[in-house]
mmCIF file with all atom_site columns, all heavy atoms in Angstrom:
data_model
loop_
_atom_site.group_PDB
_atom_site.id
_atom_site.type_symbol
_atom_site.label_atom_id
_atom_site.label_alt_id
_atom_site.label_comp_id
_atom_site.label_asym_id
_atom_site.label_entity_id
_atom_site.label_seq_id
_atom_site.pdbx_PDB_ins_code
_atom_site.Cartn_x
_atom_site.Cartn_y
_atom_site.Cartn_z
_atom_site.occupancy
_atom_site.B_iso_or_equiv
_atom_site.pdbx_formal_charge
_atom_site.auth_seq_id
_atom_site.auth_comp_id
_atom_site.auth_asym_id
_atom_site.auth_atom_id
_atom_site.pdbx_PDB_model_num
ATOM 1   N N   . ALA A 1 87  ? -6.670  -19.213 20.306 1.00 96.00 ? 87  ALA A N   1
ATOM 2   C CA  . ALA A 1 87  ? -7.033  -19.690 18.973 1.00 96.00 ? 87  ALA A CA  1
ATOM 3   C C   . ALA A 1 87  ? -6.364  -21.027 18.665 1.00 96.00 ? 87  ALA A C   1
ATOM 4   O O   . ALA A 1 87  ? -6.991  -21.932 18.099 1.00 96.00 ? 87  ALA A O   1
ATOM 5   C CB  . ALA A 1 87  ? -6.636  -18.652 17.925 1.00 96.00 ? 87  ALA A CB  1
ATOM 6   N N   . VAL A 1 88  ? -5.108  -21.170 19.051 1.00 94.00 ? 88  VAL A N   1
ATOM 7   C CA  . VAL A 1 88  ? -4.397  -22.434 18.814 1.00 94.00 ? 88  VAL A CA  1
ATOM 8   C C   . VAL A 1 88  ? -5.030  -23.557 19.640 1.00 94.00 ? 88  VAL A C   1
ATOM 9   O O   . VAL A 1 88  ? -5.199  -24.686 19.149 1.00 94.00 ? 88  VAL A O   1
ATOM 10  C CB  . VAL A 1 88  ? -2.898  -22.288 19.139 1.00 94.00 ? 88  VAL A CB  1
ATOM 11  C CG1 . VAL A 1 88  ? -2.201  -23.645 19.090 1.00 94.00 ? 88  VAL A CG1 1
ATOM 12  C CG2 . VAL A 1 88  ? -2.243  -21.313 18.172 1.00 94.00 ? 88  VAL A CG2 1
ATOM 13  N N   . PHE A 1 89  ? -5.411  -23.256 20.864 1.00 93.00 ? 89  PHE A N   1
ATOM 14  C CA  . PHE A 1 89  ? -6.054  -24.263 21.706 1.00 93.00 ? 89  PHE A CA  1
ATOM 15  C C   . PHE A 1 89  ? -7.380  -24.728 21.089 1.00 93.00 ? 89  PHE A C   1
ATOM 16  O O   . PHE A 1 89  ? -7.678  -25.935 21.033 1.00 93.00 ? 89  PHE A O   1
ATOM 17  C CB  . PHE A 1 89  ? -6.298  -23.700 23.103 1.00 93.00 ? 89  PHE A CB  1
ATOM 18  C CG  . PHE A 1 89  ? -6.934  -24.673 24.054 1.00 93.00 ? 89  PHE A CG  1
ATOM 19  C CD1 . PHE A 1 89  ? -6.203  -25.687 24.628 1.00 93.00 ? 89  PHE A CD1 1
ATOM 20  C CD2 . PHE A 1 89  ? -8.288  -24.564 24.366 1.00 93.00 ? 89  PHE A CD2 1
ATOM 21  C CE1 . PHE A 1 89  ? -6.797  -26.605 25.500 1.00 93.00 ? 89  PHE A CE1 1
ATOM 22  C CE2 . PHE A 1 89  ? -8.889  -25.458 25.242 1.00 93.00 ? 89  PHE A CE2 1
ATOM 23  C CZ  . PHE A 1 89  ? -8.146  -26.484 25.801 1.00 93.00 ? 89  PHE A CZ  1
ATOM 24  N N   . VAL A 1 90  ? -8.164  -23.774 20.617 1.00 92.00 ? 90  VAL A N   1
ATOM 25  C CA  . VAL A 1 90  ? -9.431  -24.133 19.957 1.00 92.00 ? 90  VAL A CA  1
ATOM 26  C C   . VAL A 1 90  ? -9.158  -24.969 18.710 1.00 92.00 ? 90  VAL A C   1
ATOM 27  O O   . VAL A 1 90  ? -9.871  -25.945 18.421 1.00 92.00 ? 90  VAL A O   1
ATOM 28  C CB  . VAL A 1 90  ? -10.216 -22.858 19.597 1.00 92.00 ? 90  VAL A CB  1
ATOM 29  C CG1 . VAL A 1 90  ? -11.420 -23.194 18.709 1.00 92.00 ? 90  VAL A CG1 1
ATOM 30  C CG2 . VAL A 1 90  ? -10.688 -22.139 20.854 1.00 92.00 ? 90  VAL A CG2 1
ATOM 31  N N   . GLY A 1 91  ? -8.109  -24.609 17.972 1.00 89.00 ? 91  GLY A N   1
ATOM 32  C CA  . GLY A 1 91  ? -7.748  -25.376 16.792 1.00 89.00 ? 91  GLY A CA  1
ATOM 33  C C   . GLY A 1 91  ? -7.377  -26.808 17.118 1.00 89.00 ? 91  GLY A C   1
ATOM 34  O O   . GLY A 1 91  ? -7.750  -27.748 16.403 1.00 89.00 ? 91  GLY A O   1
ATOM 35  N N   . LEU A 1 92  ? -6.622  -26.993 18.207 1.00 88.00 ? 92  LEU A N   1
ATOM 36  C CA  . LEU A 1 92  ? -6.242  -28.343 18.634 1.00 88.00 ? 92  LEU A CA  1
ATOM 37  C C   . LEU A 1 92  ? -7.470  -29.170 18.983 1.00 88.00 ? 92  LEU A C   1
ATOM 38  O O   . LEU A 1 92  ? -7.599  -30.334 18.573 1.00 88.00 ? 92  LEU A O   1
ATOM 39  C CB  . LEU A 1 92  ? -5.314  -28.260 19.844 1.00 88.00 ? 92  LEU A CB  1
ATOM 40  C CG  . LEU A 1 92  ? -3.851  -27.884 19.604 1.00 88.00 ? 92  LEU A CG  1
ATOM 41  C CD1 . LEU A 1 92  ? -3.128  -27.710 20.924 1.00 88.00 ? 92  LEU A CD1 1
ATOM 42  C CD2 . LEU A 1 92  ? -3.165  -28.953 18.764 1.00 88.00 ? 92  LEU A CD2 1
ATOM 43  N N   . LYS A 1 93  ? -8.383  -28.578 19.726 1.00 87.00 ? 93  LYS A N   1
ATOM 44  C CA  . LYS A 1 93  ? -9.586  -29.308 20.139 1.00 87.00 ? 93  LYS A CA  1
ATOM 45  C C   . LYS A 1 93  ? -10.502 -29.585 18.949 1.00 87.00 ? 93  LYS A C   1
ATOM 46  O O   . LYS A 1 93  ? -11.095 -30.658 18.849 1.00 87.00 ? 93  LYS A O   1
ATOM 47  C CB  . LYS A 1 93  ? -10.347 -28.513 21.220 1.00 87.00 ? 93  LYS A CB  1
ATOM 48  C CG  . LYS A 1 93  ? -9.585  -28.389 22.539 1.00 87.00 ? 93  LYS A CG  1
ATOM 49  C CD  . LYS A 1 93  ? -9.204  -29.749 23.085 1.00 87.00 ? 93  LYS A CD  1
ATOM 50  C CE  . LYS A 1 93  ? -8.399  -29.662 24.362 1.00 87.00 ? 93  LYS A CE  1
ATOM 51  N NZ  . LYS A 1 93  ? -7.971  -30.997 24.857 1.00 87.00 ? 93  LYS A NZ  1
ATOM 52  N N   . ALA A 1 94  ? -10.587 -28.611 18.047 1.00 86.00 ? 94  ALA A N   1
ATOM 53  C CA  . ALA A 1 94  ? -11.422 -28.815 16.867 1.00 86.00 ? 94  ALA A CA  1
ATOM 54  C C   . ALA A 1 94  ? -10.873 -29.948 16.001 1.00 86.00 ? 94  ALA A C   1
ATOM 55  O O   . ALA A 1 94  ? -11.618 -30.776 15.486 1.00 86.00 ? 94  ALA A O   1
ATOM 56  C CB  . ALA A 1 94  ? -11.505 -27.519 16.050 1.00 86.00 ? 94  ALA A CB  1
ATOM 57  N N   . SER A 1 95  ? -9.545  -29.986 15.868 1.00 82.00 ? 95  SER A N   1
ATOM 58  C CA  . SER A 1 95  ? -8.912  -31.054 15.096 1.00 82.00 ? 95  SER A CA  1
ATOM 59  C C   . SER A 1 95  ? -9.191  -32.418 15.728 1.00 82.00 ? 95  SER A C   1
ATOM 60  O O   . SER A 1 95  ? -9.432  -33.419 15.051 1.00 82.00 ? 95  SER A O   1
ATOM 61  C CB  . SER A 1 95  ? -7.411  -30.809 14.995 1.00 82.00 ? 95  SER A CB  1
ATOM 62  O OG  . SER A 1 95  ? -6.767  -31.876 14.329 1.00 82.00 ? 95  SER A OG  1
ATOM 63  N N   . GLU A 1 96  ? -9.156  -32.445 17.060 1.00 77.00 ? 96  GLU A N   1
ATOM 64  C CA  . GLU A 1 96  ? -9.416  -33.698 17.772 1.00 77.00 ? 96  GLU A CA  1
ATOM 65  C C   . GLU A 1 96  ? -10.845 -34.178 17.532 1.00 77.00 ? 96  GLU A C   1
ATOM 66  O O   . GLU A 1 96  ? -11.090 -35.352 17.211 1.00 77.00 ? 96  GLU A O   1
ATOM 67  C CB  . GLU A 1 96  ? -9.168  -33.492 19.259 1.00 77.00 ? 96  GLU A CB  1
ATOM 68  C CG  . GLU A 1 96  ? -9.433  -34.725 20.108 1.00 77.00 ? 96  GLU A CG  1
ATOM 69  C CD  . GLU A 1 96  ? -9.244  -34.448 21.584 1.00 77.00 ? 96  GLU A CD  1
ATOM 70  O OE1 . GLU A 1 96  ? -9.013  -33.261 21.953 1.00 77.00 ? 96  GLU A OE1 1
ATOM 71  O OE2 . GLU A 1 96  ? -9.348  -35.393 22.376 1.00 77.00 ? 96  GLU A OE2 1
ATOM 72  N N   . TYR A 1 97  ? -11.812 -33.273 17.658 1.00 75.00 ? 97  TYR A N   1
ATOM 73  C CA  . TYR A 1 97  ? -13.207 -33.665 17.526 1.00 75.00 ? 97  TYR A CA  1
ATOM 74  C C   . TYR A 1 97  ? -13.608 -33.959 16.093 1.00 75.00 ? 97  TYR A C   1
ATOM 75  O O   . TYR A 1 97  ? -14.549 -34.703 15.836 1.00 75.00 ? 97  TYR A O   1
ATOM 76  C CB  . TYR A 1 97  ? -14.114 -32.570 18.095 1.00 75.00 ? 97  TYR A CB  1
ATOM 77  C CG  . TYR A 1 97  ? -14.009 -32.449 19.600 1.00 75.00 ? 97  TYR A CG  1
ATOM 78  C CD1 . TYR A 1 97  ? -13.777 -31.215 20.200 1.00 75.00 ? 97  TYR A CD1 1
ATOM 79  C CD2 . TYR A 1 97  ? -14.128 -33.573 20.408 1.00 75.00 ? 97  TYR A CD2 1
ATOM 80  C CE1 . TYR A 1 97  ? -13.669 -31.109 21.573 1.00 75.00 ? 97  TYR A CE1 1
ATOM 81  C CE2 . TYR A 1 97  ? -14.017 -33.480 21.787 1.00 75.00 ? 97  TYR A CE2 1
ATOM 82  C CZ  . TYR A 1 97  ? -13.800 -32.245 22.367 1.00 75.00 ? 97  TYR A CZ  1
ATOM 83  O OH  . TYR A 1 97  ? -13.691 -32.134 23.721 1.00 75.00 ? 97  TYR A OH  1
ATOM 84  N N   . LEU A 1 98  ? -12.878 -33.366 15.142 1.00 74.00 ? 98  LEU A N   1
ATOM 85  C CA  . LEU A 1 98  ? -13.192 -33.597 13.730 1.00 74.00 ? 98  LEU A CA  1
ATOM 86  C C   . LEU A 1 98  ? -12.499 -34.828 13.181 1.00 74.00 ? 98  LEU A C   1
ATOM 87  O O   . LEU A 1 98  ? -12.604 -35.120 11.983 1.00 74.00 ? 98  LEU A O   1
ATOM 88  C CB  . LEU A 1 98  ? -12.800 -32.365 12.896 1.00 74.00 ? 98  LEU A CB  1
ATOM 89  C CG  . LEU A 1 98  ? -13.640 -31.099 13.137 1.00 74.00 ? 98  LEU A CG  1
ATOM 90  C CD1 . LEU A 1 98  ? -13.076 -29.929 12.350 1.00 74.00 ? 98  LEU A CD1 1
ATOM 91  C CD2 . LEU A 1 98  ? -15.096 -31.350 12.769 1.00 74.00 ? 98  LEU A CD2 1
ATOM 92  N N   . GLY A 1 99  ? -11.744 -35.509 14.040 1.00 67.00 ? 99  GLY A N   1
ATOM 93  C CA  . GLY A 1 99  ? -11.136 -36.755 13.622 1.00 67.00 ? 99  GLY A CA  1
ATOM 94  C C   . GLY A 1 99  ? -9.693  -36.649 13.212 1.00 67.00 ? 99  GLY A C   1
ATOM 95  O O   . GLY A 1 99  ? -9.062  -37.659 12.875 1.00 67.00 ? 99  GLY A O   1
ATOM 96  N N   . GLY A 1 100 ? -9.151  -35.438 13.209 1.00 59.00 ? 100 GLY A N   1
ATOM 97  C CA  . GLY A 1 100 ? -7.756  -35.288 12.832 1.00 59.00 ? 100 GLY A CA  1
ATOM 98  C C   . GLY A 1 100 ? -6.803  -35.774 13.897 1.00 59.00 ? 100 GLY A C   1
ATOM 99  O O   . GLY A 1 100 ? -5.666  -36.158 13.616 1.00 59.00 ? 100 GLY A O   1
ATOM 100 N N   . GLY A 1 101 ? -7.274  -35.738 15.147 1.00 58.00 ? 101 GLY A N   1
ATOM 101 C CA  . GLY A 1 101 ? -6.443  -36.224 16.236 1.00 58.00 ? 101 GLY A CA  1
ATOM 102 C C   . GLY A 1 101 ? -5.564  -35.123 16.806 1.00 58.00 ? 101 GLY A C   1
ATOM 103 O O   . GLY A 1 101 ? -4.759  -34.525 16.099 1.00 58.00 ? 101 GLY A O   1
ATOM 104 N N   . GLU A 1 102 ? -5.751  -34.837 18.070 1.00 55.00 ? 102 GLU A N   1
ATOM 105 C CA  . GLU A 1 102 ? -4.951  -33.817 18.728 1.00 55.00 ? 102 GLU A CA  1
ATOM 106 C C   . GLU A 1 102 ? -3.480  -34.204 18.727 1.00 55.00 ? 102 GLU A C   1
ATOM 107 O O   . GLU A 1 102 ? -2.601  -33.375 18.551 1.00 55.00 ? 102 GLU A O   1
ATOM 108 C CB  . GLU A 1 102 ? -5.447  -33.631 20.164 1.00 55.00 ? 102 GLU A CB  1
ATOM 109 C CG  . GLU A 1 102 ? -4.777  -32.495 20.910 1.00 55.00 ? 102 GLU A CG  1
ATOM 110 C CD  . GLU A 1 102 ? -5.316  -32.358 22.323 1.00 55.00 ? 102 GLU A CD  1
ATOM 111 O OE1 . GLU A 1 102 ? -5.459  -33.396 22.996 1.00 55.00 ? 102 GLU A OE1 1
ATOM 112 O OE2 . GLU A 1 102 ? -5.580  -31.228 22.752 1.00 55.00 ? 102 GLU A OE2 1
ATOM 113 N N   . LEU A 1 105 ? -1.343  -33.017 15.627 1.00 83.00 ? 105 LEU A N   1
ATOM 114 C CA  . LEU A 1 105 ? -0.832  -31.641 15.636 1.00 83.00 ? 105 LEU A CA  1
ATOM 115 C C   . LEU A 1 105 ? 0.286   -31.480 16.657 1.00 83.00 ? 105 LEU A C   1
ATOM 116 O O   . LEU A 1 105 ? 1.267   -30.781 16.404 1.00 83.00 ? 105 LEU A O   1
ATOM 117 C CB  . LEU A 1 105 ? -1.974  -30.670 15.927 1.00 83.00 ? 105 LEU A CB  1
ATOM 118 C CG  . LEU A 1 105 ? -3.039  -30.549 14.834 1.00 83.00 ? 105 LEU A CG  1
ATOM 119 C CD1 . LEU A 1 105 ? -4.153  -29.607 15.277 1.00 83.00 ? 105 LEU A CD1 1
ATOM 120 C CD2 . LEU A 1 105 ? -2.395  -30.025 13.551 1.00 83.00 ? 105 LEU A CD2 1
#
Side-chain angles (χ1 to χ4, degrees):
V88 172
F89 181 76
V90 171
L92 283 174
K93 294 304 178 183
S95 176
E96 179 183 5
Y97 291 129
L98 292 175
E102 186 180 45
L105 292 177

